[in-house]
């Protein structure tokens, strides 16, 4: 009908509930759900909706979220409002709200927001289970820091853990890969006692000049999950700590080498890929120097292994570049190449125009926006890979 057909036998689905866009963490908070509006506009402007199946998932229910989260935590989360919140309350602080940084504020519609992004990840996982899709995408998810009874680092509900739990109903081994600039600690912790999930996170790790560790402060190379040999989860986490300013070629080599080794050794039957866009150059919170196509290389590399793939969002604090990246990666999934000149007749085009916003093109050089010197020498990265390979000996048969 539209003169385009999806390739026979290969199907990509896009799971998106637009109500997620209308939530605000507060004007000075770096997490902007509005970046999802920009992403959707680019995806539509390039006509990518004709290359995949679109779904508008319902919000997840309390009982569905309770598959992972504690009911006491969910009760608190579903009832708290900016009006009734008591920031000095023990429960409030114990569940990760408030505090000095206020990373996890209570805002209007919070429960609605978390139910929507979680519902989309669960809907995407069901599509993989039903074999309705080979790749299922939810750019609104990927909130990897949330624990079963704790909000952390802008994350309240861990949609990734919920989706992996669904995949485990049919898959013996699920590989979780996380290219957000932050350590995927919540997902790692949730599955620390099983050998049916292997978690692999690439992230900035280290102490800053001000003496504070880069958030969340975990994920060094020697952290491989539980150390007790009786624990089945032993050795089923791999962390790749990276320093400021890593460039495209270094990251692509690191990702291809380590991810390839993990897939060969672990042989997962499904893969979940968290594609946080805060690992791009010029991100407001990130420290890396990646361009959009280097970030997308990771998605392409994983997709080419041909396993059922759940692709989810995550961090990303320079909204125009988050939208560019996730639009590009949607195209990578459907096998389309996109024109570098952005279509001009789209809403919010101003967000992409002007030299400071990337000059109206899809692939601006983000290296030009670099604020971080590259502290990663090839020698250090070689040593890191050697240590990663050594760690992987734990999962050899
Ligand atoms: O992208 O920045 O560093 C998934 C994700 O991975 C901290 N929080 C906490 C621990 C003590 N600090 C506070 C430091 C604040 C520095 C200024 C902000 C300004 C306003 C609001 C929040 C931040 C902020 N918070 C920057 N980095 C943090 C991290 C949390 C990072 C979460 C990453 C989430 C979506
Ligand atoms: Ca990561
Ligand atoms: Zn992040």
């Amino acid at each position: 009908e539209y003169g385009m057909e999806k390739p026979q036998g290969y199907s990509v689905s896009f799971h998106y509930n637009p109500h997620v866009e209308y939530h605000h963490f507060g004007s000075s908070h770096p997490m902007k759900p509005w970046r999802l509006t920009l992403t959707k506009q680019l995806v539509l402007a390039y006509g990518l909706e004709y290359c995949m199946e679109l779904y508008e998932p319902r919000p997840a229910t309390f009982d569905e979220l309770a598959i992972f989260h504690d009911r006491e935590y969910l009760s608190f989360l579903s009832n708290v409002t900016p009006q009734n919140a008591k920031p000095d309350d023990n429960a409030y602080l114990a569940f990760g709200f408030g505090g000095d940084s206020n990373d996890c504020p209570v805002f209007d519609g919070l429960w609605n927001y978390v139910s929507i992004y979680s519902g989309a990840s669960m809907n995407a996982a069901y599509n993989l289970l039903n074999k309705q899709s080979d790749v299922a995408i939810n750019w609104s998810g990927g909130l990897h820091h949330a624990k079963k009874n704790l909000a952390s680092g802008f994350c309240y509900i861990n949609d990734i853990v919920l989706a992996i739990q669904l995949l485990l109903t049919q898959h013996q081994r699920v590989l979780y890969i996380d290219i957000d600039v932050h350590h995927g600690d919540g997902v790692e912790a949730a599955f620390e006692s099983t050998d049916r999930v292997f978690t692999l996170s690439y992230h900035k790790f280290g102490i800053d000049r001000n003496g504070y560790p880069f958030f969340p402060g975990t994920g060094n190379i020697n952290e491989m999950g539980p150390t007790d040999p009786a624990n089945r989860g032993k050795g089923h986490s791999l962390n790749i700590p990276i320093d400021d300013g890593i460039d495209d070629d270094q990251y692509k080599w690191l990702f291809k080498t380590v991810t390839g080794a993990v897939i060969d050794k672990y042989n997962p039957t499904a893969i979940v890929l968290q594609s946080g866009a805060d690992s791009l150059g010029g991100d407001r919170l990130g420290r890396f120097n990646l361009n959009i196509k280097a970030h997308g290389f990771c998605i392409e590399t994983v997709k080419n292994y041909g396993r059922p793939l759940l692709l989810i969002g995550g961090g990303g604090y320079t909204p125009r570049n988050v939208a560019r990246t996730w639009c590009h990666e949607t195209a990578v999934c459907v096998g389309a190449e996109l024109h570098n000149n952005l279509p001009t007749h789209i809403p919010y085009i101003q967000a992409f125009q002007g030299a400071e916003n990337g000059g109206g093109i899809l692939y601006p050089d983000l290296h030009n926006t670099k604020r971080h010197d590259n502290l990663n020498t090839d020698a250090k990265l070689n040593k890191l890979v050697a240590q990663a390979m050594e760690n992987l000996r734990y999962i050899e048969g």
Side-chain angles (χ1 to χ4, degrees):
E1 192 178 357
Y2 294 107
M4 277 203 220
E5 281 171 37
K6 71 182 169 73
Q8 281 289 311
Y10 188 81
S11 174
V12 178
S13 57
F14 193 84
H15 303 259
Y16 186 67
N17 183 331
H19 293 105
V20 74
E21 297 166 22
Y22 309 117
H23 296 88
H24 299 277
F25 283 62
S27 54
S28 63
H29 198 286
M31 178 57 97
K32 309 279 183 207
W34 179 74
R35 68 208 175 119
L36 299 165
T37 312
L38 284 185
T39 303
K40 177 183 70 180
Q41 293 304 342
L42 285 190
V43 166
L44 296 178
Y46 279 106
L48 291 171
E49 77 269 33
Y50 304 119
C51 306
M52 51 194 188
E53 304 289 328
L54 302 186
Y55 293 81
E56 193 173 317
R58 60 169 176 80
T61 63
F62 187 105
D63 286 343
E64 286 173 322
L65 302 181
I67 296 171
F68 173 56
H69 291 279
D70 285 353
R71 286 179 176 269
E72 303 70 53
Y73 175 66
L74 294 176
S75 296
F76 182 86
L77 195 60
S78 59
N79 287 311
V80 72
T81 67
Q83 289 72 37
N84 71 15
K86 296 195 276 297
D88 303 323
D89 202 35
N90 284 338
Y92 189 88
L93 294 168
F95 289 140
F97 293 86
D100 295 337
S101 68
N102 208 19
D103 279 341
C104 299
V106 172
F107 55 84
D108 280 321
L110 174 58
W111 178 254
N112 197 34
Y113 168 74
V114 303
S115 316
I116 290 171
Y117 74 69
S118 303
S121 287
M122 297 179 88
N123 184 238
Y126 278 122
N127 246 47
L128 296 174
L129 289 173
N130 300 337
K131 305 204 165 45
Q132 292 281 102
S133 333
D134 300 294
V135 180
I137 304 173
N138 170 25
W139 293 128
S140 69
L143 287 308
H144 59 177
H145 298 304
K147 314 295 190 302
K148 67 178 197 267
N149 55 9
L150 188 70
S152 169
F154 320 161
C155 307
Y156 305 82
I157 293 289
N158 201 316
D159 61 296
I160 308 168
V161 171
L162 292 162
I164 292 175
Q165 284 178 315
L166 294 179
L167 294 175
L168 287 172
T169 62
Q170 278 181 35
H171 289 276
Q172 191 52 233
R173 288 179 308 282
V174 176
L175 171 60
Y176 172 68
I177 308 171
D178 184 317
I179 62 168
D180 190 289
V181 76
H182 299 97
H183 175 216
D185 57 347
V187 184
E188 180 181 313
F191 298 112
E192 66 168 10
S193 295
T194 179
D195 54 6
R196 293 185 58 206
V197 179
F198 189 103
T199 61
L200 168 60
S201 178
Y202 298 83
H203 44 262
K204 155 75 186 177
F205 178 87
I207 312 277
D208 280 336
R209 272 191 301 261
N210 62 18
Y212 289 107
F214 190 73
F215 188 87
T218 48
N220 206 349
I221 183 74
N222 59 1
E223 297 173 30
M224 302 162 58
T227 48
D228 175 5
N231 192 316
R232 301 186 78 98
K234 183 174 196 284
H236 286 76
S237 293
L238 182 58
N239 286 303
I240 306 296
I242 302 169
D243 216 330
D244 287 2
I246 191 169
D247 69 27
D248 290 351
D249 287 341
Q250 290 176 325
Y251 197 92
K252 284 161 68 178
W253 174 77
L254 188 62
F255 184 85
K256 185 179 67 181
T257 308
V258 174
T259 305
V262 171
I263 294 176
D264 289 346
K265 290 202 158 83
Y266 188 61
N267 194 21
T269 57
I271 301 179
V272 177
L273 176 52
Q274 196 268 22
S275 182
D278 47 7
S279 37
L280 292 170
D283 185 82
R284 182 174 158 194
L285 298 192
R287 303 293 182 79
F288 294 169
N289 242 322
L290 303 183
N291 277 299
I292 292 162
K293 285 184 176 172
H295 201 274
F297 170 87
C298 303
I299 282 65
E300 180 140 41
T301 300
V302 172
K303 178 194 159 233
N304 287 343
Y305 280 90
R307 321 279 164 113
L309 176 62
L310 173 54
L311 179 58
I312 47 188
Y317 306 100
T318 302
R320 60 183 180 275
N321 293 333
V322 176
R324 284 178 165 107
T325 301
W326 290 347
C327 175
H328 168 67
E329 291 173 355
T330 304
V332 164
C333 290
V334 304
E337 275 198 40
L338 303 180
H339 219 275
N340 192 22
N341 292 322
L342 291 173
T344 49
H345 300 286
I346 59 170
Y348 309 111
I349 184 68
Q350 328 82 269
F352 304 101
Q353 289 175 327
E356 69 286 6
N357 296 328
I361 59 175
L362 184 58
Y363 303 112
D365 185 1
L366 301 183
H367 221 249
N368 282 336
T369 61
K370 97 168 189 191
R371 297 167 295 132
H372 302 287
D373 290 336
N374 190 353
L375 303 179
N376 303 276
T377 61
D378 289 352
K380 279 207 275 187
L381 293 176
N382 276 314
K383 215 178 137 213
L384 185 63
V385 166
Q387 185 62 59
M389 297 302 162
E390 181 67 26
N391 289 1
L392 283 178
R393 290 175 52 180
Y394 278 100
I395 62 164
E396 260 167 24

